Amino acid sequence: MTFETLGLAEPLLRAISDAGYTTPTPIQAQAIPAVLNGGDLLAGAQTGTGKTAGFTLPLLHRLSTGEKVLNKRGKIAIRALVLTPTRELAAQVEESVQTYGKYLPLKSMVMFGGVGMQPQINKLRDGVDILVATPGRLLDHAQQGTLDLSQVQILVLDEADRMLDMGFVHDIKKVLALLPAKKQSLLFSATFSDEIKNLADRLLNAPALIEVARRNQTNDAIAQKVHPVGRERKKELLAHLIKGGQDGQPWHQVLIFTRMKHGANRLTDYLNDQGISAMAIHGNKSQGARTKALADFKAGDLTCLVATDIAARGIDIDQLPHVVNFELPNVAEDYVHRIGRTGRAGAQGEAVSLVCVDENGFLKDIERLIKREIPKEIVPGFAPDPNERAEPIVLGRTVLNPNGSRGRNPNPPAGANGRGGRGGGGGGGRGGDSRGGSRDGGRDNQGRSGGGGRPAGHTGVGGAKTAPKPHAEHAPRAAGAQPARGNNGGAPRHNNGPRLTQPKR
Ligand code: AMP
């Protein structure tokens, strides 16, 4: 199969050829004809499958072969709206629109929070065909009357599951209310929870169904490995691996995950001290700092990007060779998302997890989820001390004990109260990254609630009650979810540093 046989317009074929793509990926082979047909689409595809081109190419084709529409002010009206959960993903999708649409006379813009409104207002005034946006900032514009969505013909919800995960359900409903009833709607999601099904039922009309990667399936192009290591030697081992200590080949582009923002900062400092260039990317970083870190990393000027799960959402880097779990995620699904950053669209990648005795329970959860055992390999000189005992892991104001029980952090981090899930309080949720975090932070600029964690149990689009999923950067793992681990006791501590510190929230 070729892109030509899919029936795409010549200017698109030229742009595809410039990008160096010769064969459509499976999602593209299925989604492109379905979207060109004009019908709705429900597509199950994770990042790395080529899904962005899967909707961008036919969207551009349809707009370029359709008639331009003018808005009330006589300017080009928005005919396509792409909603994404994060700023990074919005920027990347719009980049794809520009890449594939470079030979077409179509105008696009990206809109997200954390940056000034006025330049966006100016751009909107000039008129655009395609708008890629995060929901929060989009609603801010709609409320200010600077955005007219009444002519939208195509709507794309990209990574819809993450949007719901991050507490955007009400924002999505509000956006839908701004759009014409008659339109082509495309919903992309890595998973099909009841919430997603409800959203699809509400939004889509007799959609074509495409699923290319089953839920929680890890990509076979990714070589996964666990390096068991002593708690205190993780940093050293990481520096050793990056410097090529294992096979003499230094690593040049490494995405590293930590659970907490302060852990990301400390690891970044350590790596820089070791002469390895690194920058942290997390919710406490300004949008400017995050954009710069990502650009330097993509350009190959920065060896390591150290990220928390939320900040890393939607990061798309071509053929990222190395992903390191410096700390395993406390939510097993995050492992799949993390390692999905490598081995993309057929490229070979390596995902390495540095696992200390405290994290054996997390590792079991992950292996159960992905239905396979991850090979363990001790790096010579870094064998863990067999007598090292598991210690509790501190996540915000909660302590996960090795026996699976949870306790209260005796030194709760500032600002942790009132957020995060505890007992009946529930919550926290993935939406908590509102302080300039990956979540659309447009509103926090204006002193409004930019989206703290959603409340315990929230109503899905279709009215289904669902429990919010806790996330380490902000909230502890759900009670009881941690399987029993070999016990011992010991003082609560962060597993990436010598003493409890106060993670900034
Ligand atoms: P996505 O799943 O949209 O995040 O895309 C993953 C990566 O695959 C992106 O870096 C694209 O540049 C790349 N890609 C998309 N389509 C193709 C293709 N047909 N052939 C090779 N690479 C592709």
Side-chain angles (χ1 to χ4, degrees):
M1 162 132 4
T2 62
F3 285 102
E4 282 80 2
T5 56
L6 292 174
L8 291 169
E10 190 279 330
L12 290 168
L13 294 176
R14 241 188 309 151
I16 293 166
S17 164
D18 289 356
Y21 307 158
T22 49
T23 317
T25 64
I27 186 81
Q28 291 163 3
Q30 296 178 70
I32 291 172
V35 179
L36 289 179
N37 264 340
D40 286 359
L41 174 68
L42 178 58
Q46 294 170 333
T47 47
T49 54
K51 69 178 170 63
T52 313
F55 65 77
T56 306
L57 290 168
L59 180 151
L60 287 165
H61 178 101
R62 282 180 64 74
L63 294 188
S64 68
T65 52
E67 300 241 317
K68 284 240 182 222
V69 179
L70 298 183
N71 61 24
K72 285 174 232 139
R73 304 160 50 90
K75 300 283 182 183
I76 300 165
I78 299 167
R79 282 186 292 156
L81 170 65
V82 183
L83 279 185
T84 75
T86 66
R87 301 168 186 180
E88 281 81 5
L89 187 60
Q92 283 160 12
V93 168
E94 205 255 344
E95 221 172 88
S96 295
V97 169
Q98 296 210 13
T99 303
Y100 306 132
K102 67 183 183 184
Y103 298 119
L104 291 172
L106 295 170
K107 286 169 77 177
S108 62
M109 94 172 255
V110 63
M111 173 192 281
F112 49 68
V115 294
M117 293 277 282
Q118 197 55 45
Q120 297 176 348
I121 293 171
N122 295 345
K123 207 153 185 199
L124 283 171
R125 257 198 215 125
D126 289 344
V128 292
D129 298 277
I130 302 152
L131 174 64
V132 185
T134 51
R137 177 54 66 93
L138 182 138
L139 289 172
D140 288 338
H141 278 282
Q143 273 155 24
Q144 292 198 14
T146 46
L147 179 65
D148 177 6
L149 295 173
S150 62
Q151 313 273 3
V152 168
Q153 298 168 355
I154 306 176
L155 167 72
V156 183
L157 295 186
D158 193 14
E159 303 206 354
D161 51 344
R162 290 194 184 178
M163 278 196 259
L164 298 185
D165 241 6
M166 292 169 76
F168 279 134
V169 66
H170 296 296
D171 285 354
I172 293 173
K173 279 194 208 172
K174 284 185 203 157
V175 176
L176 295 183
L178 300 171
L179 303 175
K182 186 170 170 296
K183 60 186 172 297
Q184 181 178 23
S185 301
L186 320 175
L187 192 154
F188 283 76
S189 180
T191 57
F192 287 115
S193 62
D194 287 346
E195 251 186 313
I196 288 291
K197 286 183 196 141
N198 287 331
L199 178 62
D201 283 349
R202 183 191 156 105
L203 179 68
L204 305 176
N205 184 14
L209 300 173
I210 296 175
E211 193 167 6
V212 293
R214 258 195 310 119
R215 187 180 177 173
N216 300 328
Q217 223 175 26
T218 49
N219 179 343
D220 283 339
I222 304 169
Q224 301 175 58
K225 230 188 267 175
V226 162
H227 291 315
V229 61
R231 186 186 304 119
E232 303 299 340
R233 299 201 65 203
K234 279 192 175 190
K235 287 184 172 131
E236 218 184 307
L237 172 57
L238 178 62
H240 173 79
L241 293 172
I242 294 171
K243 286 178 176 171
Q246 222 181 3
D247 57 7
Q249 302 284 326
W251 297 357
H252 297 294
Q253 212 182 26
V254 195
L255 178 61
I256 302 164
F257 285 94
T258 63
R259 275 192 290 269
M260 306 286 281
K261 299 169 191 173
H262 68 106
N265 287 339
R266 287 205 304 216
L267 182 58
T268 302
D269 291 345
Y270 175 84
L271 291 170
N272 283 314
D273 286 349
Q274 296 297 308
I276 298 167
S277 61
M279 281 173 95
I281 175 168
H282 57 63
N284 285 357
K285 296 277 176 186
S286 70
Q287 184 59 37
R290 294 193 301 155
T291 305
K292 177 168 169 25
L294 195 55
D296 288 356
F297 187 61
K298 277 186 167 185
D301 297 337
L302 183 69
T303 303
C304 301
L305 198 60
V306 186
T308 55
D309 290 282
I310 289 176
R313 295 251 158 89
I315 289 179
D316 170 24
I317 300 146
D318 270 349
Q319 307 185 353
L320 187 57
H322 298 284
V323 169
V324 175
N325 293 305
F326 183 75
E327 294 160 330
L328 284 182
N330 63 314
V331 174
E333 286 84 355
D334 284 346
Y335 176 85
V336 180
H337 290 308
R338 286 181 179 189
I339 73 166
R341 310 284 130 197
T342 182
R344 325 195 85 196
Q348 195 70 37
E350 186 184 47
V352 166
S353 302
L354 311 187
V355 179
C356 74
V357 65
D358 308 342
E359 299 168 296
N360 285 338
F362 294 162
L363 181 59
K364 285 206 184 77
D365 279 0
I366 290 164
E367 292 183 328
R368 201 173 301 130
L369 180 78
I370 64 173
K371 299 191 177 65
R372 70 167 90 159
E373 209 175 306
I374 307 170
K376 321 280 177 301
E377 187 184 309
I378 289 174
V379 178
F382 290 90
D385 175 355
N387 297 319
E388 189 174 18
R389 299 282 204 83
E391 290 190 1
I393 290 175
V394 172
L395 295 174
R397 58 204 178 89
T398 292
V399 175
L400 299 177
N401 293 310
N403 63 5
S405 69
R406 298 194 321 161
R408 189 181 276 275
N409 178 356
N411 298 310
N417 285 337
R419 290 161 55 105
R422 175 160 208 88
R430 294 170 177 230
D433 202 352
S434 61
R435 302 181 185 192
S438 209
R439 186 196 150 109
D440 176 19
R443 298 160 170 230
D444 42 19
N445 270 6
Q446 296 166 44
R448 280 180 274 157
S449 68
R454 54 190 184 194
H458 67 286
T459 307
V461 169
K465 269 280 197 192
T466 54
K469 175 168 252 171
H471 195 288
E473 187 173 350
H474 310 289
R477 174 193 188 85
Q482 174 67 5
R485 297 184 263 160
N487 182 37
N488 70 3
R493 59 187 307 287
H494 284 281
N495 74 332
N496 60 348
R499 259 311 306 155
L500 277 178
T501 54
Q502 309 285 311
K504 276 197 124 187
R505 310 277 292 191

